[in-house]
Amino acid sequence: MNNKRIALLGLGTIGQVVFDELVASTNGAWQLAWVVVKHPERHQTVLLPTGAQLTTDWRRAVEDPTVDVVIELIGGIGVAKEAVTSALLHGKQVITANKDLVATAGTELDRLAELYGGALTYEAAVAGGIPIIRTINEGLAPDRIRRVSGILNGTSNYILTAIDQEGLSFDAALKESQAKGFAEANPTKDVTGIDAAYKIIILTKLIFHRTLSLAQLAPTGIDHLSPRLFAAAKEWGLKIKLLASTWESRGQLNYQVAPVALNPSHPLYQVDGVTNAVVIDSEVPRPTSAPGRAVRRRPTAS
């Protein structure tokens, strides 16, 4: 069997870890053929494996007829969508961690994969280190799922935990999360609920076969919460968590992304710090819970 030749698009936070793992691996099933970067001057010390090439032109890598697999870690929707579309039109297998892209264009890209004989896989797009998509597609396929609910943004969860346990202000908790590498320099998508919304859009499509938009979800984030609210929650023994949920009730599909005060009996009450978790309720009389550390780098790269 010939080795799978891989084109890696992006050498940022996640891309660097994926690159290191591919280079260090002794698995002879794949070979790194291309690494695509935006700023080559930042990667002059990168030691490419034999046969691999560095380029700023994603088309050279994606349209190389010897490339079998494209790993897209560029992020965003613009260039990433162009590259993934091209890869699928060429019948290639695509692996992506790009939740924005999958949430907004997943149906279109799935159709291209089907039409041209490629594949689109995105396990890392939702809750990084938790194999929730595989669990839904394989382990829970026979069940009729009634509800999915989760803490899907580790940055927001870290901030809420720091406020609750350390008594920090929102601004101080955000700065601490940035200092530890959990929050981006621009944390807008995290703290406004947009990141969690994209992830629940993906899970909703998989489970309920309905395509939601960001406008429909109208997420509410954590950046507006008052100190008085946290004080009241603590007094009552509650914890505020940013929950993303979709559920069926009386034939209607309901959805929400918003801060919720949880009591100690809730399965997500103890999920603190940068940890993410997903709880699935189905007709089988038991909830399925999948916790995992899922912020940045290694869990997502894995």
Side-chain angles (χ1 to χ4, degrees):
M1 179 183 293
N2 293 331
N3 294 347
K4 294 279 188 182
R5 285 173 55 82
I6 294 174
L8 175 62
L9 314 187
L11 203 58
T13 303
I14 308 298
Q16 184 63 58
V17 180
V18 172
F19 174 85
D20 293 342
E21 293 291 333
L22 288 172
V23 171
S25 174
T26 58
N27 188 331
W30 55 69
Q31 176 187 353
L32 187 60
W34 291 92
V35 178
V36 179
V37 298
K38 187 176 182 179
H39 303 286
E41 67 277 5
R42 298 178 185 175
H43 307 286
Q44 292 179 354
T45 60
V46 172
L47 297 177
L48 295 172
T50 302
Q53 300 183 65
L54 189 75
T55 182
T56 59
D57 184 358
W58 63 261
R59 290 176 180 81
R60 289 185 66 197
V62 170
E63 297 174 9
D64 180 344
T66 71
V67 166
D68 307 290
V69 180
V70 174
I71 301 177
E72 184 277 307
L73 297 172
I74 299 171
I77 298 173
V79 174
K81 184 178 180 181
E82 288 184 59
V84 170
T85 297
S86 178
L88 294 174
L89 287 172
H90 285 81
K92 300 182 188 296
Q93 300 171 33
V94 175
I95 299 168
T96 180
N98 192 334
K99 56 194 168 292
D100 301 34
L101 177 62
V102 177
T104 57
T107 300
E108 172 190 343
L109 297 174
D110 280 334
R111 190 175 298 118
L112 288 178
E114 184 178 351
L115 284 174
Y116 292 93
L120 176 69
T121 56
Y122 42 88
E123 182 68 69
V126 180
I130 306 172
I132 190 61
I133 292 174
R134 180 176 297 177
T135 299
I136 291 168
N137 286 337
E138 299 177 9
L140 297 176
D143 293 351
R144 178 174 173 77
I145 297 173
R146 297 175 300 190
R147 182 185 187 101
V148 58
S149 184
I151 294 172
L152 300 178
N153 183 268
T155 298
S156 290
N157 203 44
Y158 181 90
I159 291 170
L160 292 173
T161 300
I163 294 172
D164 176 59
Q165 296 182 1
E166 301 175 38
L168 299 181
S169 67
F170 173 84
D171 289 340
L174 172 58
K175 288 179 181 177
E176 182 175 283
S177 69
Q178 289 173 321
K180 293 186 175 182
F182 300 143
E184 302 286 357
N186 181 357
T188 301
K189 287 184 179 179
D190 294 323
V191 300
T192 60
I194 292 174
D195 179 84
Y198 278 143
K199 292 170 183 175
I200 200 67
I201 286 172
I202 294 170
L203 295 182
T204 300
K205 179 175 177 287
L206 288 173
I207 294 171
F208 299 105
H209 310 291
R210 288 275 300 276
T211 301
L212 299 175
S213 68
L214 194 61
Q216 280 177 286
L217 274 170
T220 300
I222 66 168
D223 52 337
H224 68 290
L225 301 178
S226 69
R228 184 180 301 175
L229 184 64
F230 287 99
K234 199 171 187 67
E235 183 178 347
W236 286 93
L238 306 175
K239 286 184 181 179
I240 298 173
K241 300 292 184 183
L242 180 64
L243 291 195
S245 306
T246 308
W247 68 97
E248 280 186 330
S249 177
R250 298 180 180 179
Q252 292 286 106
L253 185 67
N254 306 277
Y255 34 83
Q256 182 185 51
V257 177
V260 177
L262 303 182
N263 62 47
S265 65
H266 195 284
L268 297 175
Y269 179 87
Q270 296 291 354
V271 180
D272 293 327
V274 295
T275 304
N276 287 186
V278 180
V279 174
I280 294 174
D281 289 305
S282 68
E283 289 185 347
V284 176
R286 47 104 178 103
T288 299
S289 177
R293 185 181 175 96
V295 172
R296 314 290 185 252
R297 298 192 179 102
R298 193 160 299 279
T300 302
S302 174

